[in-house]
Amino acid sequence: MAAQKLTLAVRPRGRPVKKLPEEVSLPTNGPTSELYHQLALKAGTTIHRLRVTKGSDGSLVPNSKDLSINSTGLREQSTIYVKDLGPQIAWRTVFLVEYLGPLIIHPLLYLILPSTSNGSGPSYLQTFSLTLVCLHFAKRELETLFIHRFSSATMPVSNIFKNSAHYWLLSGLNMAYWIYLPSAPAAQESSPLITYPGLAMFVIGELGNLSNHVTLRNLRSSGGAERGIPQGLAFGLVTCPNYMFETLAWVGIALVSWSWSTVLFAVVAAAQMAVWAKKKEMRYRKDFGEKYQKKRFSMLPGIW
């Protein structure tokens, strides 16, 4: 018995989509991913540039292999709107470019700035600071390549400039300049009472963050978009312990580097992660209902 089909009326939203068909026919029990595939094929573009919404209520029709056309509420001659999201770039590529900035800028300024003074070379703390910063961002790069699984494949290509500016300028150029100056506090003698607690915070923060990222990775299959409730290190304490450990690591780097530029980056990063953590808590409550144990604090115990 042939699969029952339905025909959908297709309309563009926003900028015109070249070669967009006026209608599309597909099996009612077929996945919504097939809808995206047919639209992209006929329009001569990629599925990542398309956003499909229902004409009845404007709700998104997700691009999913696990969601059927029929379950979305679409029926014969229903209208869908297709929006061209513009040029896209892979999330993984954006992450790799973001984190590359500090890995280039810090070693470069470390080699250049101290040579402008008496030629004595970088101090112990400056070398130590460089090591921690490079370890942090090298870890980020490796996690991007081998651990992270992204629910969305792409983002608008213009976002790479905004996202990269945060890392290349704030944690790259600004932080490196003030750490490796000959007159910087890090150019002075170190204090073990500050440096070693900073190192301990860095190690705990990085290892805890890595553990959390592995836990989150295991919730999603390769190429999948499924969601789950994470269980593991500190997930019973706050919603996003990965952000908590990330913040701890940056506090450690700040103590080692003795630089207000590091504190500035840590505060800005923590503020952004706090917003993400609160949204994540709300998302868990919405998606999982009573199955999810609500958290009072989303990122920092007793604070946020």
Side-chain angles (χ1 to χ4, degrees):
M1 180 176 178
Q4 187 176 0
K5 287 192 173 185
L6 80 164
T7 300
L8 303 174
V10 181
R11 301 290 182 269
R13 183 179 295 279
R15 76 180 78 179
V17 182
K18 294 181 179 180
K19 301 180 182 179
L20 184 70
E22 294 186 355
E23 61 180 27
V24 62
S25 297
L26 59 166
T28 57
N29 59 353
T32 57
S33 58
E34 179 61 24
L35 171 61
Y36 276 81
H37 175 73
Q38 284 201 32
L39 289 171
L41 184 65
K42 293 179 179 180
T45 185
T46 70
I47 60 174
H48 303 302
R49 287 187 64 143
L50 302 180
R51 175 184 171 87
V52 180
T53 53
K54 294 164 58 177
S56 57
D57 59 9
S59 62
L60 176 68
V61 179
N63 177 16
S64 173
K65 295 179 181 179
D66 303 317
L67 185 67
S68 69
I69 299 293
N70 189 58
S71 66
T72 65
L74 291 171
R75 297 296 181 262
E76 178 68 18
Q77 289 303 318
S78 289
T79 298
I80 57 172
Y81 284 90
V82 180
K83 182 177 182 179
D84 182 0
L85 299 175
Q88 300 287 298
I89 188 171
W91 272 89
R92 195 178 305 278
T93 300
V94 174
F95 275 36
L96 291 172
V97 172
E98 286 176 356
Y99 306 145
L100 183 62
L103 285 172
I104 293 174
I105 294 170
H106 275 263
L108 186 62
L109 294 191
Y110 171 83
L111 294 173
I112 293 174
L113 290 179
S115 65
T116 62
S117 185
N118 57 14
S120 60
S123 70
Y124 168 75
L125 280 183
Q126 287 173 324
T127 302
F128 203 0
S129 298
L130 172 71
T131 302
L132 297 190
V133 169
C134 287
L135 283 174
H136 173 79
F137 285 107
K139 167 182 167 290
R140 286 279 194 95
E141 295 279 34
L142 292 172
E143 287 177 332
T144 299
L145 290 171
F146 302 111
I147 294 180
H148 291 325
R149 286 175 175 165
F150 302 95
S151 57
S152 299
T154 64
M155 67 166 71
V157 70
S158 59
N159 283 9
I160 193 172
F161 301 104
K162 177 185 67 177
N163 291 24
S164 295
H166 174 69
Y167 290 100
W168 284 65
L169 299 180
L170 203 56
S171 64
L173 188 60
N174 183 61
M175 188 188 301
Y177 178 79
W178 295 108
I179 290 176
Y180 308 124
L181 275 176
S183 58
Q188 311 305 316
E189 290 293 327
S190 65
S191 170
L193 295 178
I194 298 177
T195 302
Y196 293 130
L199 175 61
M201 290 181 182
F202 174 82
V203 172
I204 293 172
E206 295 293 342
L207 292 179
N209 179 263
L210 175 61
S211 173
N212 293 156
H213 285 167
V214 171
T215 297
L216 293 172
R217 166 195 166 85
N218 292 336
L219 293 176
R220 179 175 294 153
S221 62
S222 179
E226 64 270 29
R227 299 178 184 274
I229 301 174
Q231 305 288 335
L233 181 63
F235 277 104
L237 186 63
V238 293
T239 311
C240 298
N242 51 318
Y243 296 157
M244 176 184 71
F245 286 119
E246 173 90 3
T247 302
L248 181 64
W250 277 108
V251 171
I253 295 175
L255 289 176
V256 170
S257 67
W258 290 13
S259 174
W260 283 107
S261 63
T262 310
V263 174
L264 173 63
F265 176 77
V267 169
V268 171
Q272 179 61 76
M273 289 187 288
V275 173
W276 292 337
K278 185 62 69 176
K279 289 181 179 179
K280 179 71 74 172
E281 173 67 18
M282 294 301 102
R283 183 64 182 265
Y284 283 148
R285 294 183 184 186
K286 178 182 177 181
D287 288 352
F288 300 107
E290 295 182 356
K291 294 181 180 179
Y292 176 69
Q293 182 180 355
K294 297 179 181 179
K295 307 294 191 309
R296 182 179 179 185
F297 301 106
S298 56
M299 191 175 94
L300 300 176
I303 301 175
W304 184 265

